[in-house]
């Protein structure tokens, strides 16, 4: 079992990073294609859809600075958590105004909290990062990003029991998480985490049955399902990853409008909950 120096890790609280970028057109067109949308080519001033800001402010660590899992070696902006598995656990958003194509944007990020919890099979380290993204007209969105670190599974460790999923969805779409889809999203977000493209690594080292579908891609697919069924502007959004999805079988995304909110969820091939989300109008 990996020992965690809690005080050392918590010394990262308050660490800040400031980045600048521009809402260029190609990533917008490319993500539209990856989501199998028939959008017109992006033009100057077009509003960037919610969550598509993940196409920008990308990490550009030198090749020699990547860790064995393909992530940048730890200990820069994020604390050096000595646990091998790193996952995007969830997030919460407030959208104040849209970011727009061709405009300059900036992001201020702060490590807000680092906490250690004991899971059923070892320690879990949760890191909360808060982002504030602005355009020329001021603050555009606020994001709280939950990252969780954990140990690799122990020999004979049983997987967690599946969580029941809602069956009252009005909107639904089947997703085939093909290798090209995962490759395209990894490339668009400059994500070199090997669990998304290196089958031998993800099965032999991390012990998963197949390539893992990116958490933010699942959240983007949920938001995309919403956009395909309503044009109401989204003011808030939250999502929580409940269980991983793999490229070995199709999964489905579902949603239903509930007054001034919409409930959204992803269902894995065995019929259990993989991600839950809620959008506020």
């Amino acid at each position: 079992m990996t020992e965690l120096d809690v005080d050392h890790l918590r010394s990262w609280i308050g660490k800040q990073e400031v980045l600048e970028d521009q809402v260029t057109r190609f990533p917008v067109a490319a993500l539209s294609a990856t989501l199998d949308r028939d959008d017109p080519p992006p033009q100057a001033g077009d509003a960037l859809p919610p969550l598509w800001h993940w196409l920008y402010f990308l990490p550009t660590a030198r090749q020699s600075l990547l860790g064995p899992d393909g992530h940048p070696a730890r200990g820069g902006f994020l604390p050096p958590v000595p646990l091998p598995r790193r996952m995007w656990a969830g997030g919460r958003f407030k959208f104040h105004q849209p970011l727009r194509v061709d405009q300059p944007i900036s992001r201020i990020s702060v490590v807000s909290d680092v906490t250690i919890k004991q899971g059923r099979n070892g320690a879990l380290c949760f890191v909360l990062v808060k982002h504030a993204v602005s355009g020329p007209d001021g603050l555009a969105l606020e994001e709280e990003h939950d990252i969780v670190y954990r140990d690799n599974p122990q020999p004979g460790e049983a997987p967690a029991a599946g969580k029941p999923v809602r069956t009252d969805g009005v909107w639904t779409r089947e997703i085939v998480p093909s290798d090209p889809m995962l490759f395209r999203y990894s490339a668009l977000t400059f994500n070199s985490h090997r669990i998304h493209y290196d089958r031998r690594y993800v099965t032999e080292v991390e012990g998963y049955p197949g390539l893992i579908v990116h958490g933010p891609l699942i959240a983007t697919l949920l938001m995309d399902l919403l956009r395909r069924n309503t044009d109401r502007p989204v003011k808030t959004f939250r999502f929580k990853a409940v269980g991983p999805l793999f490229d070995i079988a199709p999964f489905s995304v579902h949603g239903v409008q509930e007054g001034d909110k919409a409930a959204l969820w992803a269902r894995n091939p065995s019929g259990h909950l993989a991600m839950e989300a809620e959008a506020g109008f």
Side-chain angles (χ1 to χ4, degrees), residues 73-87:
R74 295 162 188 175
F77 171 63
L78 292 175
V81 181
L83 295 172
R85 285 187 173 184
R86 170 180 165 178
M87 293 162 283

Side-chain angles (χ1 to χ4, degrees), residues 119-190:
R120 61 190 186 93
N121 293 302
L124 301 171
C125 181
F126 293 87
V127 177
L128 172 61
V129 180
K130 294 184 178 181
H131 305 286
V133 181
S134 300
D137 297 323
L139 182 65
L141 69 94
E142 298 172 88
E143 173 182 1
E144 295 185 348
H145 175 192
D146 299 323
I147 308 168
V148 62
Y149 301 82
R150 58 160 292 181
D151 244 326
N152 283 325
Q154 302 302 308
E157 179 181 322
K163 186 175 181 180
V165 66
R166 294 176 60 159
T167 58
D168 59 340
V170 174
W171 314 318
T172 185
R173 184 181 176 213
E174 183 179 80
I175 306 297
V176 178
S178 65
D179 289 8
M181 171 184 273
L182 302 190
F183 166 79
R184 281 177 153 195
Y185 193 77
S186 287
L188 276 170
T189 54
F190 205 57

